[in-house]
Amino acid sequence: MTVALIGVGGILVGVVLGPLIAMTSSIVGGADAEGGRDDAPALPSSDQSGFVFTRLDNPGRTVVTDQQDVIVATLTDGARTTTIAGPVRTFSEPRYTHAAVQTATWVRIAPQPWHPGAEQQPWVRPWLAAMLVDTSPDVLAVATEYMQDAPDVVDDDGLRIAGNASFGPEISETRRAIGADFYDYLGVPWEFADGVSKEPEDEQYSALDCSGYLRLVYGYRQGYPLQWGSSPGPGLPRRANDMATVGPGTMLIPDRGERPTELDRLQAGDLLFFTTDDEPDIDHSGIYLGRDTDGLHRFISSRATPNGPTLGDMGGASVLDGDGFFAERFRTARRL
């Protein structure tokens, strides 16, 4: 899909494409970032492609290294989300936080879920080789295209597919309406694979609630399947609680009703889930970005304050560390 940039607002995200660097285990994120401290690596396999595939556990995954023994990709069992080595980028939102996320990790969606031994399938090596030189917007870059002052992006048909998104229409001085899905933001009707048809609500145009934001980034923009119902299936469901409990992909951190400690399992692109009220059910979701320049685990999500997608700290620090609002209410994580 070809896009054109129109209109330029204030600077809110700096994406700096540097030279392709060697991605060591300290850059990959998740358990690999700490050298796989809980892992038991299996014997590696390789062939004439030059890629070496090594199995690790917790979670079950395959780490890909090149001929220089540099980690270039991580593919997780049951998930399509893949981390790929690429140029260093910086994501920031100086209006709402001094911290930034500088990362050489790019997040791509594989054609199908990974499983042990999948490296023998014919699509794997050509796809990995293509992803290693692809600098088109990935999951993380797309996620930042909806923050405040983000420039509009339109497709070949003139449809605005990115740009500043609100959380929802204001219903009082302290509250905003929820319920804005990706098709509301776009202003287009949508028919889901499970047979449900939806019409956009005019008052929700250009708005995204937390789960609608994830569905726009992963589904509409990155091609991950979407569904409306809450039954288990291949598509990403509508509500955050359903994403967390019956959604596709791989459970990384189970919901035990309390704040988890296994943050070393996370890698960029993982879905994070929170309970932000007095009920035990999940009611907020976000996308993990990686460690920020303060060394903290930072995420991006759409929320009422500051009114839309943010990686900043207004209305609560967007980190999983410390005793902040979201850190205390973090419950579970899933890799699509």
Side-chain angles (χ1 to χ4, degrees), residues 45-207:
S45 62
S46 64
D47 67 3
Q48 66 274 14
S49 70
F51 293 131
V52 176
F53 299 82
T54 303
R55 291 291 299 168
L56 296 175
D57 298 319
N58 298 321
R61 64 201 187 280
T62 298
V63 172
V64 186
T65 53
D66 64 11
Q67 292 176 323
Q68 286 73 47
D69 199 30
V70 172
I71 296 176
V72 296
T74 301
L75 302 105
T76 301
D77 297 353
R80 291 176 59 187
T81 302
T82 308
T83 55
I84 302 287
V88 177
R89 301 169 294 170
T90 299
F91 298 110
S92 63
E93 194 177 11
R95 177 183 295 185
Y96 297 125
T97 181
H98 71 275
V101 176
Q102 297 174 337
T103 180
T105 300
W106 293 57
V107 180
R108 301 292 184 185
I109 306 298
Q112 54 189 264
W114 189 255
H115 62 81
E119 63 268 20
Q120 303 303 323
Q121 297 184 6
W123 67 268
V124 173
R125 289 166 178 79
W127 183 79
L128 283 172
M131 292 302 99
L132 285 169
V133 296
D134 185 358
T135 56
S136 64
D138 69 329
V139 168
L140 304 187
V142 168
T144 64
E145 291 181 355
Y146 300 92
M147 298 193 296
Q148 289 189 19
D149 299 327
D152 285 348
V153 179
V154 299
D155 66 11
D156 291 338
D157 297 321
L159 178 67
R160 176 178 179 260
I161 62 170
N164 177 33
S166 68
F167 180 77
E170 189 176 46
I171 56 178
S172 73
E173 290 185 0
T174 58
R175 296 180 60 201
R176 289 188 174 274
I178 61 174
D181 203 358
F182 72 96
Y183 58 84
D184 293 305
Y185 174 90
L186 298 169
V188 299
W190 199 263
E191 183 172 350
F192 293 92
D194 48 358
V196 177
S197 298
K198 303 296 291 186
E199 293 287 334
E201 298 182 24
D202 292 342
E203 64 271 20
Q204 298 277 24
Y205 176 70
S206 195

